[in-house]
Amino acid sequence: MIVSVKRGDRDFIWIKPPADMPETMFTRFQTLSRKNNLFVAVDTVSHCHAYRGSIHQINKILEDLEYNGFTAEIDEVIKQEIIKKFDKIQFSKQLAEKAIERVEKYSGKTVRNYQREDIAWMHSVDSGVNALQQRLGKSLEAAACFRQKGNIVICPKAAVSVWVSQIKLWRKDLKPIVVMKKKDFRWPKSFEVIILHYQALPKEYDSDKGIPGMASLKAECPSNIMIVYDECQWIKNPGIDLTRRAKALCWAIQDRAGFAWLVTGTPLPNRRAELWSFLQFLRLGSKLFGSERAFVKADPSQDAEIARILSTVMVRRLRSEVFTEVPKVTRTTTPVPIDGPLKGILDTIWQKAIDRGLLEDPDEFLTVLKMDPEFQLYSTIRSALAKAKVPAALEWAEAMEMEEEPAVIVSAHKYPCEALGSRPGWAYIHGGVDQKVRDQHIADFQAGKLKGIALTAKTAGVAIDLSRSGCLLMLDRGWVPGDNAQAEDRIVEAGKTDPLLYTDLLIDHPLEEHLLYVLLLKQEQIVRIDQVSNQCNDPNRSIKSTEHAMALISGNAEFEHDIDLSPLEG
């Protein structure tokens, strides 16, 4: 049985194979659909529909099927069901328009055109992934889609207060309620948003202390509510307890005709294994691609098709695509002299790295330096190296104060942050600072009450807006390039065009120079993963120096060597 329906400027074909339809005929239909650039989705084992093709392309498939012995039969009941299904899109557009009017009314701000498109799309989809780059308004788009029946937001602990303020800004019609402990979890009522951090997720089963788990909670799940998982990389590993608990909550809501969204600013399109776990979390992976192998191990010739299918459940935008005017970014390093015992230790470790041939492979160099017992001494002295940079950081901070420029300093270690943040007119943030105090420091900095702020790379990675500043000093970098990239994003704001200055304090030693080169190389792969894919692995398009990596991250160079730079020694 085949039904062909035209709705607006789009053509759809729906097919229900008879019980005796040969498997080869079903495969033939899928093959023809792909050749004619039609999207095919399997609804159940015996149903599928294809769309996004011209009526001419659809008729060609119908003719081919009939030629091979398959008789087309129109069923008016099914046809009306299909019309009703796709008319839902128009209804979703109306809901989105009202949602946009509502957030603009409450906030007094204008929703940007790309955000309007995203909000309209999110209203037409029950579950999906919002992967806008940092500072493009993921929380606004999610808040605009919140349902009157009730909502849940799950986020890192540091982002709880941010979500409270975002809801108060964009959705004054909703009441934010913070839940910090598992025993306090409850389902939202109408016009409520329950906000909890990942560690406060209910357990899978009831505890001995009488705290209810999802096994009993899901029976009371209300219908038509929405759940948002912010910074969803927390649940990327399907095998851990946290992910299982988060998934149980998600599926309970989906089973009650609810809506589920994953939100992240981390690049995902080129991390297919990770993206597959997110799609399966939302019950979308097998539905869209059939199997994990078909998605993760797909032939490169299928990349365009996979990207097109992903676009039906995922939105990804970059700042460079959204804004025609972007800030000019300048990157520089300030050398810090080193001598005495620390220099001797660095000399020894550097020679070992040369002897083992680690300089040829950035990944191996980073892994060995972190994990190998032979190089364990380096991890031990990293904090001492950070302390050695504090005087240089103080000079930088004083220079910023003289220029009356609000300054941000990031370090992988706590001591430098406390030493620098204790200056008059400054503040510091690290994991040991209370959340309320942390929020107050950020608010004071943004309001111009502080000259500067110092924070650790870990705490700088999530839900912190320091965009009043245009100057950031990386006293030292953490091992995780993604944390460093997110820390740098704290002074970035959507639409901001003022120049940005990033400075790295660099111990004057070849080992430290090479480590910075490797960390920048890895960060560049993260920052520009959407534009350059895996080109870093192409020897003809390689990165040869720290300066070149800096220029690439800033967008001031391409992979071809359009700047005359020499490799670092060794």
Side-chain angles (χ1 to χ4, degrees), residues 247-311:
K247 186 187 296 183
L249 187 61
C250 176
W251 288 13
I253 290 171
Q254 288 181 320
D255 289 341
R256 296 286 291 163
F259 310 88
W261 284 91
L262 304 184
V263 175
T264 179
T266 303
L268 293 175
N270 288 48
R271 303 178 182 183
R272 287 195 183 167
E274 188 174 305
L275 184 51
W276 174 259
S277 70
F278 289 140
L279 293 175
Q280 286 294 80
F281 184 97
L282 295 172
R283 293 170 159 173
L284 294 173
S286 299
K287 179 179 178 181
L288 292 174
F289 299 101
S291 68
E292 181 177 5
R293 181 177 181 81
F295 177 68
V296 176
K297 303 292 185 181
D299 187 89
S301 63
Q302 297 294 314
D303 285 354
E305 175 71 4
I306 287 176
R308 186 173 59 77
I309 296 174
L310 277 176
S311 69

Side-chain angles (χ1 to χ4, degrees), residues 251-374:
W251 288 13
I253 290 171
Q254 288 181 320
D255 289 341
R256 296 286 291 163
F259 310 88
W261 284 91
L262 304 184
V263 175
T264 179
T266 303
L268 293 175
N270 288 48
R271 303 178 182 183
R272 287 195 183 167
E274 188 174 305
L275 184 51
W276 174 259
S277 70
F278 289 140
L279 293 175
Q280 286 294 80
F281 184 97
L282 295 172
R283 293 170 159 173
L284 294 173
S286 299
K287 179 179 178 181
L288 292 174
F289 299 101
S291 68
E292 181 177 5
R293 181 177 181 81
F295 177 68
V296 176
K297 303 292 185 181
D299 187 89
S301 63
Q302 297 294 314
D303 285 354
E305 175 71 4
I306 287 176
R308 186 173 59 77
I309 296 174
L310 277 176
S311 69
T312 64
V313 295
M314 176 177 173
V315 59
R316 172 69 174 165
R317 296 184 189 272
L318 305 178
R319 287 191 295 268
S320 59
E321 297 171 350
V322 171
F323 300 107
T324 55
E325 294 185 22
V326 296
K328 178 184 178 182
V329 176
T330 303
R331 292 179 178 272
T332 184
T333 59
T334 299
V336 178
I338 191 75
D339 54 19
L342 283 178
K343 183 178 184 303
I345 294 172
L346 290 177
D347 289 340
T348 301
I349 296 172
W350 178 242
Q351 189 59 50
K352 285 182 179 179
I354 293 174
D355 294 343
R356 287 185 53 172
L358 299 178
L359 308 189
E360 302 300 323
D361 187 336
D363 289 325
E364 185 181 8
F365 175 81
L366 197 60
T367 301
V368 169
L369 205 60
K370 286 192 301 181
M371 310 290 291
D372 196 307
E374 188 179 354

Side-chain angles (χ1 to χ4, degrees), residues 336-343 345-346 349 376-392 411-416 475-476 505-507 512:
V336 178
I338 191 75
D339 54 19
L342 283 178
K343 183 178 184 303
I345 294 172
L346 290 177
I349 296 172
Q376 187 175 5
L377 185 58
Y378 181 73
S379 295
T380 304
I381 68 167
R382 284 203 81 202
S383 59
L385 293 172
K387 288 181 180 179
K389 296 179 182 180
V390 169
S411 173
H413 297 85
K414 186 166 68 173
Y415 169 79
L475 185 139
D476 63 336
L505 291 185
L506 179 62
I507 294 290
E512 289 291 292

Side-chain angles (χ1 to χ4, degrees), residues 134 158 382 386 408-418 428-432 438 453-464 466 472-490 504 519 523:
Q134 290 94 340
R382 284 203 81 202
V408 177
I409 297 178
V410 177
S411 173
H413 297 85
K414 186 166 68 173
Y415 169 79
C417 294
E418 292 181 344
Y428 61 84
I429 297 175
H430 54 61
R438 180 186 308 189
I453 191 166
L455 61 167
T456 57
K458 281 288 185 183
T459 57
V462 177
I464 291 181
L466 303 174
L472 185 143
L473 177 74
M474 295 294 290
L475 185 139
D476 63 336
R477 291 175 175 265
W479 288 115
V480 183
D483 291 344
N484 300 326
Q486 290 214 18
E488 291 185 353
D489 268 343
R490 296 313 99 196
D504 272 88
L519 290 173
Q523 181 174 330

Side-chain angles (χ1 to χ4, degrees), residues 42 78 116 128 166 204 216 223 308 344 392 396 400 447 454-455 462 539:
V42 177
I78 295 177
R116 292 174 179 271
Q166 289 290 303
E204 289 185 82
S216 57
S223 60
R308 186 173 59 77
W396 182 87
M400 292 296 106
L455 61 167
V462 177

